[in-house]
Amino acid sequence: LLDWETGKHRSVTRMRSLTSNTIAICNGTAFVCDFKGVVNTYGVTEKRDPWSYIIQGRSVGRSVSLADQSFCAIASGAGYMFVFNNVKNPTAWIRFQTSSPILGSLATGNGAFYVGTMDGVLAKVTTTDRFGIIEWELHSAQPIITPALVIGDTVYFSTESGTLVAVDDTNGLQKWRNSLHGITEPLAVCGSHLICRTAANETVSVDLQTGELVGKSSPVPLSEAVINPLNDRAYIIAKDGRVQCLRAPGADMPTLITPVITEDVAPQPAASEAPAAETEATPATNIFGGFGNKDSSSGSIDNPFGTGAAGDATGGDMVNPFAPTPTTPEAAPGGNPFGDF
């Protein structure tokens, strides 16, 4: 356990087995799954008695928790999503079975869990019932292997073939689809733009309302994606550990994203209950400048990934952070903060 402000160790707990994925936190308790499919719990702020649960299959992808940490979920390769809570004692609340295997596609938002499957189904599941309530399902006909991004009343997800889809979270209907640019993961929303990454390790921006491409970077060796549903910032991490934060012009301070929740999704179950099985706009300034244009008058900050008025890589006052370092001071008013790749 690390201190949030200083990063110093506050406590160290020896786990009972090796962990196979990230840790999910639920009301002060860490749920950790090992390589054999055994979920163990550990007290975060205070020590707790050991508790274990065996899931069906091996855990896959990242574990996720609702924003209020009332529930957490772990997916298995056998096609199950296990949802746990910790009102009084740890409890397996839902065992939700999908129609095909799951590959690391769990996400949360608006008080619900979102799970994608290999047969191309994205389902929204709420926790108001021990069987899990399926609010809607969308059939994309293409495998979904990365987590969705839930922002306001819209869910963004990509398929294995690189198709980006926007879904109305209130009814599960498709808003738009973009299959032209090989987008593998939606990362964050900055102003009126959705920031994504592609199979070629490009960072791209698409219009939130239409899905049309606005701008993109040059290919850069990227590390694991940081999916940010919490505020209006996009975080890009290179494989050598360098980090860049993208924002819309004028958004000097981060703006928190408010969930859209229409009903109470955090019941108070009895600790003795056993788990049950599931049977069945205002336009914002273009943060990338005018994509493909030599005119950089689209905002107070020029396109950091495009070209400036003279066709160079400086982009005005903000230098392309992924371009080679210019050789003359005149060509580099800000200087590449990362140096050459």
Side-chain angles (χ1 to χ4, degrees):
L1 180 65
L2 304 180
D3 186 275
W4 181 262
E5 295 183 349
T6 65
K8 294 181 179 179
H9 286 179
R10 297 183 61 180
S11 65
V12 177
T13 301
R14 185 78 173 180
M15 296 193 297
R16 295 186 284 276
S17 59
L18 296 175
T19 176
S20 62
N21 55 12
T22 55
I23 297 172
I25 304 298
C26 181
N27 285 339
T29 296
F31 287 75
V32 184
C33 192
D34 66 16
F35 288 94
K36 296 181 180 180
V38 179
V39 178
N40 293 298
T41 60
Y42 304 88
V44 175
T45 56
E46 58 184 22
K47 290 191 178 296
R48 304 198 58 150
D49 293 334
W51 183 90
S52 298
Y53 183 89
I54 301 177
I55 66 174
Q56 291 169 262
R58 299 176 66 177
S59 64
V60 293
R62 60 171 189 164
S63 306
V64 296
S65 301
L66 295 184
D68 61 1
Q69 295 187 5
S70 56
F71 290 91
C72 66
I74 297 174
S76 80
Y80 290 91
M81 177 179 70
F82 292 87
V83 178
F84 302 92
N85 70 357
N86 184 39
V87 176
K88 294 181 179 179
N89 295 299
T91 304
W93 182 246
I94 295 172
R95 186 185 64 182
F96 177 77
Q97 184 177 8
T98 62
S99 57
S100 64
I102 304 171
L103 287 179
S105 59
L106 287 188
T108 62
N110 296 340
F113 292 99
Y114 300 79
V115 56
T117 65
M118 285 298 293
D119 60 3
V121 177
L122 179 70
K124 176 183 180 181
V125 182
T126 57
T127 57
T128 52
D129 189 273
R130 289 299 299 266
F131 292 98
I133 301 298
I134 303 176
E135 296 291 333
W136 50 257
E137 287 184 336
L138 180 98
H139 295 257
S140 68
Q142 301 173 18
I144 302 171
I145 61 175
T146 55
L149 173 67
V150 185
I151 302 292
D153 62 354
T154 305
V155 180
Y156 305 95
F157 74 93
S158 60
T159 67
E160 189 178 36
S161 65
T163 298
L164 178 67
V165 182
V167 182
D168 189 327
D169 191 39
T170 61
N171 53 30
L173 298 179
Q174 178 180 300
K175 289 185 174 182
W176 51 256
R177 174 184 293 251
N178 183 327
S179 58
L180 301 177
H181 306 288
I183 293 173
T184 57
E185 289 167 299
L187 303 180
V189 166
C190 295
S192 63
H193 298 160
L194 176 66
I195 311 302
C196 310
R197 67 185 294 180
T198 70
N201 276 333
E202 301 163 319
T203 301
V204 303
S205 169
V206 301
D207 187 273
L208 282 179
Q209 303 301 319
T210 65
E212 295 180 356
L213 183 68
V214 177
K216 66 179 179 179
S217 73
S218 301
V220 175
L222 298 178
S223 183
E224 293 296 320
V226 177
I227 299 175
N228 180 25
L230 302 179
N231 58 38
D232 60 344
R233 296 294 193 263
Y235 300 97
I236 312 298
I237 303 180
K239 282 191 174 180
D240 58 6
R242 290 172 284 180
V243 182
Q244 184 183 37
C245 175
L246 305 180
R247 63 174 174 83
D252 296 331
M253 296 297 293
T255 299
L256 296 180
I257 296 173
T258 303
V260 178
I261 302 177
T262 57
E263 59 180 331
D264 182 15
V265 295
Q268 301 295 317
S272 60
E273 290 183 302
E278 164 61 20
T279 58
E280 237 326 57
T282 302
T285 305
N286 180 356
I287 65 172
F288 288 108
F291 177 63
N293 299 331
K294 293 185 179 180
D295 182 355
S296 61
S297 61
S298 57
S300 57
I301 298 180
D302 292 309
N303 180 356
F305 300 128
T307 57
D312 58 23
T314 64
D317 294 333
M318 186 173 181
V319 175
N320 180 351
F322 298 138
T325 303
T327 56
T328 63
E330 293 77 15
N336 184 345
F338 291 156
D340 295 342
F341 278 97

